């Protein structure tokens, strides 16, 4: 059974802190890795889709890296703001897979 | 912008009822998905569809069925609702052809089965 692990499960930071989360996935037969942000009472929204080893993507203060050989991705948030409070989901799909497999998410709370 | 619309935000049903959850997308996407979200378990795939009248079982299809008669609409059916089907249900869609395309999600239906 393919499994995606995210850590930490939750964390609380102060406004202005930088933070990062980890997503671990099986490294064999990798095809793509997705990051989504899910704010309370809203729809999950795609942040990044990454396919190549060594990929780095950036969207404003949020960036992500990908290591397909060792099976992990990091999501970084620079200078966290209260509006960054959300659950961050990662998901991956293998070369033979037909649908994404999601992790349980990391819930971030940012205090002002 | 792509819009994925789920018919109800909150739904309360009784055990044994037949329940329909509707999902409509307006961007001609080939692929549609139904997930459920439970605390501590993450998003789990129930069923998905890559074309009209086509369906594939996900990880937890037991107790559910689906219908895709039109490209834009994907319905999730609980044949006889049970209390363990109380959950947040999320519909998603994506364009066809490539498995690295991002998903577009609806806002979810919180179903309570009493």
């Amino acid at each position: 059974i393919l499994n995606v692990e995210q850590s930490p499960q939750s964390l609380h930071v102060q406004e202005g802190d930088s933070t990062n989360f980890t997503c671990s996935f099986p490294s064999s037969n990798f095809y793509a890795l997705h990051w989504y942000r899910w704010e309370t009472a809203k729809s999950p929204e795609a942040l990044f889709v990454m396919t190549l080893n060594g990929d780095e993507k950036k969207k404003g203060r949020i960036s992500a890296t990908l290591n397909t050989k060792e099976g992990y991705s990091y999501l970084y948030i620079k200078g966290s703001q209260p509006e960054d409070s959300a659950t961050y989901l990662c998901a991956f799909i293998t070369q033979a897979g037909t649908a994404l497999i999601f992790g349980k998410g990391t819930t971030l709370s940012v205090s002002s | 912008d792509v819009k994925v619309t789920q018919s109800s935000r909150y739904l309360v049903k009784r055990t044994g009822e037949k329940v329909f959850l509707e999902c409509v997308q307006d961007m001609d996407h080939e692929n549609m998905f139904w997930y459920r979200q439970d605390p501590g378990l993450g998003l789990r795939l129930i069923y998905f569809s890559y074309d009209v009248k086509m369906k594939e079982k996900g990880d937890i299809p037991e107790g559910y069925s689906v219908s895709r008669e039109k490209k834009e609409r994907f319905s999730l059916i609980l044949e006889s609702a049970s209390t363990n089907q109380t959950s947040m249900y999320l519909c998603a869609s994506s364009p066809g052809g490539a498995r690295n395309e991002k998903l577009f999600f609806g806002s979810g239906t919180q179903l309570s089965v009493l």
Side-chain angles (χ1 to χ4, degrees):
Chain A
I1 296 177
L2 299 173
N3 205 26
V4 179
E5 299 288 341
Q6 289 189 247
S7 62
Q9 183 178 342
S10 63
L11 77 163
H12 182 208
V13 302
Q14 294 294 121
E15 183 176 358
D17 289 349
S18 293
T19 187
N20 65 85
F21 328 132
T22 303
C23 173
S24 301
F25 52 87
S27 56
S28 58
N29 299 313
F30 173 86
Y31 189 82
L33 189 286
H34 295 219
W35 281 101
Y36 292 84
R37 175 170 57 198
W38 191 3
E39 297 177 65
T40 303
K42 294 187 177 180
S43 310
E45 179 185 356
L47 289 171
F48 306 113
V49 178
M50 308 169 79
T51 57
L52 299 175
N53 184 44
D55 238 357
E56 290 190 33
K57 301 254 183 177
K58 188 174 181 181
K59 185 177 181 179
R61 294 178 292 97
I62 304 177
S63 60
T65 61
L66 178 66
N67 184 322
T68 62
K69 295 188 184 305
E70 296 181 44
Y72 65 84
S73 175
Y74 294 138
L75 187 79
Y76 301 92
I77 302 179
K78 185 178 179 181
S80 301
Q81 300 296 309
E83 58 264 32
D84 295 328
S85 297
T87 295
Y88 292 83
L89 301 170
C90 82
F92 94 114
I93 187 168
T94 65
Q95 292 186 16
T98 50
L100 287 170
I101 300 169
F102 279 84
K104 296 177 183 179
T106 293
T107 299
L108 173 67
S109 175
V110 183
S111 299
S112 57
Chain B
D1 281 352
V2 174
K3 193 167 184 182
V4 179
T5 303
Q6 294 184 230
S7 53
S8 305
R9 184 78 178 96
Y10 299 97
L11 209 52
V12 180
K13 296 292 181 181
R14 295 197 178 277
T15 302
E17 277 193 78
K18 190 169 186 176
V19 181
F20 293 86
L21 301 183
E22 305 288 348
C23 176
V24 177
Q25 48 94 5
D26 65 359
M27 281 301 288
D28 202 36
H29 282 177
E30 302 288 335
N31 310 325
M32 297 189 76
F33 307 84
W34 275 107
Y35 290 90
R36 63 178 280 179
Q37 164 74 13
D38 299 289
L41 293 179
L43 283 175
R44 292 182 293 166
L45 182 64
I46 305 171
Y47 267 98
F48 59 100
S49 169
Y50 284 151
D51 201 353
V52 175
K53 296 190 186 296
M54 176 273 179
K55 60 185 178 184
E56 291 284 343
K57 292 181 180 178
D59 298 320
I60 50 165
E62 297 77 20
Y64 303 95
S65 62
V66 290
S67 172
R68 194 162 180 204
E69 295 296 318
K70 293 184 178 181
K71 192 175 186 179
E72 67 270 19
R73 185 181 295 271
F74 192 34
S75 303
L76 181 69
I77 304 158
L78 287 65
E79 296 291 342
S80 177
S82 63
T83 54
N84 62 13
Q85 292 178 309
T86 291
S87 186
M88 166 68 80
Y89 290 87
L90 279 169
C91 175
S93 71
S94 70
R99 286 174 289 120
N100 61 348
E101 291 161 340
K102 63 182 179 182
L103 297 183
F104 293 84
F105 284 90
S107 54
T109 296
Q110 180 62 55
L111 173 67
S112 297
V113 183
L114 306 178

